């Protein structure tokens, strides 16, 4: 079992590394590059689904911090596999409730899933695009409470967060 877990951790880290290398193509003007990104994230989403079938959510206690973060990244980018995202969200919620995962990643995945469902996000973590050099978030459920909700889960205030994306 320990060997299986070590192999699983390495597999998750390798998937995240491939994701990082390929993510620059997500919004490419080249349809072939966009398609390659979609295929990669779909393969990863399928594999994460198998992992969740076998192990539940791959927590840091199970696979280590880096591999657990890799699993979260894979779920975050499974945008065209809403079933996988919803399941990951549910399992991650259970892990957070049990104290074996952090609320910050849960907040990001929650927002991502809401946006993919065509609903308003809670924490303002998902950026729709950039207009005149300023990041534009997807609509939020309670924009006046956004920074309060962000603080509760350990995310910096919205203005600090979007400053990272600013092109000005």
């Amino acid at each position: 079992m320990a060997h299986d877990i070590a192999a699983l951790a390495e597999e998750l880290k390798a998937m995240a590394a491939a994701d990082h290398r390929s993510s620059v193509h997500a919004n490419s003007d080249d349809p072939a590059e966009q398609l390659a990104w979609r295929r990669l994230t779909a393969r990863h989403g399928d594999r994460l689904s198998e992992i969740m079938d076998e192990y539940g959510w791959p927590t840091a206690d199970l696979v280590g911090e880096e591999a657990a973060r890799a699993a979260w990244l894979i779920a975050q980018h499974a945008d065209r596999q809403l079933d996988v995202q919803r399941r990951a969200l549910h399992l991650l919620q259970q892990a957070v409730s049990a104290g074996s995962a952090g609320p910050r990643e849960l907040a990001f995945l929650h927002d991502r899933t809401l946006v993919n469902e065509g609903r308003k996000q809670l924490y303002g973590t998902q950026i729709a695009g950039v207009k005149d050099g300023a990041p534009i978030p997807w609509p939020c459920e309670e924009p006046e409470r956004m920074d309060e909700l962000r603080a509760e889960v350990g995310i910096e205030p919205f203005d600090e967060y979007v400053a990272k994306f600013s092109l000005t």
Side-chain angles (χ1 to χ4, degrees), residues 35-63:
L35 184 59
W37 165 251
R38 288 188 189 133
R39 285 182 175 148
L40 177 82
T41 56
R43 270 196 321 275
H44 287 174
D46 290 345
R47 180 62 184 126
L48 181 61
S49 188
E50 294 169 2
I51 291 166
M52 290 186 296
D53 284 344
E54 190 169 347
Y55 300 96
W57 185 253
T59 62
D61 290 343
L62 181 69
V63 295

Side-chain angles (χ1 to χ4, degrees), residues 20-95:
H20 282 300
R21 284 192 304 274
S22 185
S23 66
V24 295
H25 302 303
N27 299 312
S28 171
D29 292 334
D30 182 344
E33 288 180 351
Q34 276 190 22
L35 184 59
W37 165 251
R38 288 188 189 133
R39 285 182 175 148
L40 177 82
T41 56
R43 270 196 321 275
H44 287 174
D46 290 345
R47 180 62 184 126
L48 181 61
S49 188
E50 294 169 2
I51 291 166
M52 290 186 296
D53 284 344
E54 190 169 347
Y55 300 96
W57 185 253
T59 62
D61 290 343
L62 181 69
V63 295
E65 204 64 52
E66 187 182 348
R69 183 145 174 86
W72 167 80
L73 179 74
I74 293 159
Q76 190 79 350
H77 288 168
D79 292 319
R80 288 167 192 78
Q81 295 166 292
L82 207 40
D83 58 322
V84 173
Q85 261 185 351
R86 286 181 180 132
R87 195 153 143 244
L89 182 64
H90 176 73
L91 291 173
L92 185 54
Q93 172 69 63
Q94 290 178 332

Side-chain angles (χ1 to χ4, degrees), residues 4 15 35-36 51 87 94-95 107 115 118 120 144 149 158 161:
D4 289 351
M15 289 164 66
L35 184 59
I51 291 166
R87 195 153 143 244
Q94 290 178 332
V115 166
K120 292 181 177 178
E144 68 285 351
L149 294 171
F158 183 76
Y161 177 68

